[in-house]
Amino acid sequence: MDPRVHGIRRMLSGIRRIWVVLSPKGGVGKTLVSVCTAIGLAREGRTVGLLDADVTNPTAHIPLGVDPRGVELREEEGVVPVRAKGVLFMSPVFFTEDRALPLRGWEISSILRELLAITNWGRLDCLVVDTPPGLADETLELLLLLPRKEAILVSTPSPMASTSARRMEEFLRDEGIPLLAHIENMSPRGIPYYPNLDAEIGHIEGTEFCRKVSEIIRSVQND
Amino acid sequence: MHEWALANAIVDALLAHAGEPREVKFLEIRLGKLQSVAPEDIEFWLRQLLEERGVKVGEVKFVQEEVVLRCRRCGHEWSLDPSEAPETVREYMHFVPEAVHAFYRCPRCGSHDYEVVRGRGVYIGKVVFR
């Protein structure tokens, strides 16, 4: 018997809301939306966590300004997340020295279960979860394991991204997962295209992009 | 500590399985060596957490599982001993056993694409309630 599913319930029991940031396609800005959502909530005085669940390719630490090689994790009733830019942050990158982590099927489920079962988030107003693109193992496992989840969908105006986003919206509806927001990035209808954003990654919290994400999230969070 | 979370997960799983048992008469925990978890730490927390919830604890037996890895590319099977790994790597695998894929390759063909057949982490083997 694998006890971790039960441990996960306990470790997430102090979290009021869980927002899973999804996108059907890669490169649409999902990680930046995740990071800026978390930073925006922290700046409003909320207690917020960010989990990088893109387990084979974690990158959320980059805009958060966390050097994984300098992190020493503290143990206290589990593993305590690292604090960065006001956000409690956990990532698989803390266990790999930033090396490639090739995983398949059950191994992906297993590392997610382990991370969720050992991370001591304490009490949070919100946990933001950054996911890899698509509807494969990581996303399905998270949607299975996470309680009280709401989705934030990120896409772009590209016909490929918008077609995939429609499919994902249908999937979320069928699964009964509330869609908190569908954010169109690089679009006049959502977040505009900021050509210099890559150069500003190190201080993402000060960018117009981040302010725009926070503004959208404030308008939809319903509390 | 991290073992507290592992033990609590076991306790929650046992109680969810059995409802409200008065006693765990016998419990077998399987410890995959990849995670390098000390049985005495798990047993300490198991006894404390179960007793806090009004459940008596009888015999707790630990079975250490050797690590068996099988390469998906060439089919080679091999073992590794985490006690011989650098301390930092052992610590990573202690928290997240899947980290093994970042640091070890198949000794025959060099691939990172292998499965952990046995010896990964903490599982409940057998339990007898009263």
Side-chain angles (χ1 to χ4, degrees):
Chain A
M1 191 194 302
D2 183 351
R4 291 175 296 173
V5 174
H6 297 276
I8 290 167
R9 287 186 200 131
R10 171 182 293 276
M11 298 307 261
L12 299 179
S13 62
I15 303 174
R16 209 159 61 79
R17 297 180 80 168
I18 298 180
W19 293 349
V20 186
V21 182
L22 303 163
S23 77
K25 287 285 188 190
V28 300
K30 181 169 41 61
T31 297
L32 289 183
V33 167
S34 302
V35 169
C36 290
T37 297
I39 289 174
L41 290 172
R43 288 188 154 198
E44 287 173 11
R46 312 291 180 111
T47 312
V48 58
L50 174 65
L51 171 66
D52 192 340
D54 190 349
V55 291
T56 62
N57 190 32
T59 51
H61 58 285
I62 297 169
L64 263 186
V66 175
D67 178 356
R69 289 166 198 264
V71 167
E72 281 191 29
L73 293 167
R74 193 164 56 83
E75 290 183 68
E76 190 184 314
E77 298 189 345
V79 181
V80 180
V82 168
R83 187 176 286 278
K85 298 190 195 291
V87 173
L88 292 167
F89 177 55
M90 178 55 77
S91 167
V93 80
F94 297 150
F95 308 99
T96 63
E97 294 182 353
D98 214 1
R99 297 172 185 225
L101 185 63
L103 300 173
R104 294 188 189 218
W106 168 246
E107 293 157 352
I108 290 172
S109 300
S110 189
I111 189 172
L112 283 170
R113 287 182 181 203
E114 199 73 32
L115 282 171
L116 290 169
I118 64 171
T119 305
N120 180 4
W121 296 102
R123 302 197 76 79
L124 294 181
D125 293 313
C126 187
L127 175 65
V128 180
V129 183
D130 184 29
T131 67
L135 270 176
D137 295 296
E138 290 93 333
T139 306
L140 294 176
E141 185 71 10
L142 285 165
L143 295 179
L144 180 73
L145 293 173
L146 296 173
R148 304 178 292 286
K149 55 196 164 277
E150 300 160 85
I152 296 174
L153 183 56
V154 184
S155 67
T156 69
S158 137
M160 283 84 83
S162 56
T163 298
S164 305
R166 174 189 53 76
R167 291 181 192 142
M168 193 170 257
E169 280 196 14
E170 287 169 6
F171 167 79
L172 292 169
R173 194 163 50 243
D174 289 347
E175 295 295 308
I177 298 163
L179 179 63
L180 185 71
H182 178 171
I183 299 177
E184 202 171 73
N185 190 17
M186 298 178 250
S187 161
R189 290 194 297 265
I191 304 172
Y193 174 59
Y194 296 107
N196 296 323
L197 194 57
D198 279 344
E200 297 177 294
I201 290 293
H203 52 96
I204 192 77
E205 68 278 14
T207 61
E208 201 51 46
F209 177 92
C210 226
R211 275 193 287 277
K212 190 69 189 172
V213 171
S214 296
E215 183 187 307
I216 293 171
I217 294 298
R218 260 199 308 276
S219 71
V220 296
Q221 62 185 295
N222 298 327
D223 65 351
Chain B
M1 79 197 281
H2 165 239
E3 281 75 2
W4 177 92
L6 298 176
N8 238 322
I10 294 169
V11 169
D12 285 343
L14 291 175
L15 299 188
H17 184 69
E20 292 180 9
R22 282 182 295 129
E23 182 180 354
V24 173
K25 200 175 166 191
F26 173 77
L27 177 61
E28 180 191 283
I29 301 293
R30 303 189 80 84
L31 298 177
K33 285 191 173 176
L34 197 56
Q35 199 161 22
S36 308
V37 171
E40 58 273 20
D41 291 342
I42 295 287
E43 182 166 1
F44 171 82
W45 287 112
L46 276 176
R47 289 189 180 278
Q48 179 158 322
L49 293 165
L50 279 165
E51 279 161 21
E52 275 173 12
R53 291 166 80 163
V55 182
K56 283 173 61 182
V57 186
E59 183 187 353
V60 180
K61 179 184 170 189
F62 290 92
V63 178
Q64 297 268 3
E65 280 187 353
E66 296 297 327
V67 181
V68 178
L69 309 169
R70 185 188 298 134
C71 181
R72 292 191 177 101
R73 199 159 77 175
C74 74
H76 181 59
E77 251 187 38
W78 78 101
S79 186
L80 71 83
D81 182 355
S83 69
E84 293 172 0
E87 193 184 336
T88 50
V89 174
R90 193 165 63 244
E91 184 84 345
Y92 299 141
M93 296 191 298
H94 173 59
F95 290 126
V96 177
E98 283 70 27
V100 67
H101 291 272
F103 298 97
Y104 289 91
R105 299 191 295 158
C106 170
R108 189 157 81 180
C109 74
S111 176
H112 286 272
D113 186 9
Y114 53 82
E115 63 177 312
V116 180
V117 181
R118 272 196 301 283
R120 181 204 166 276
V122 180
Y123 297 91
I124 301 169
K126 291 179 195 155
V127 59
V128 178
F129 295 104
R130 179 179 280 166

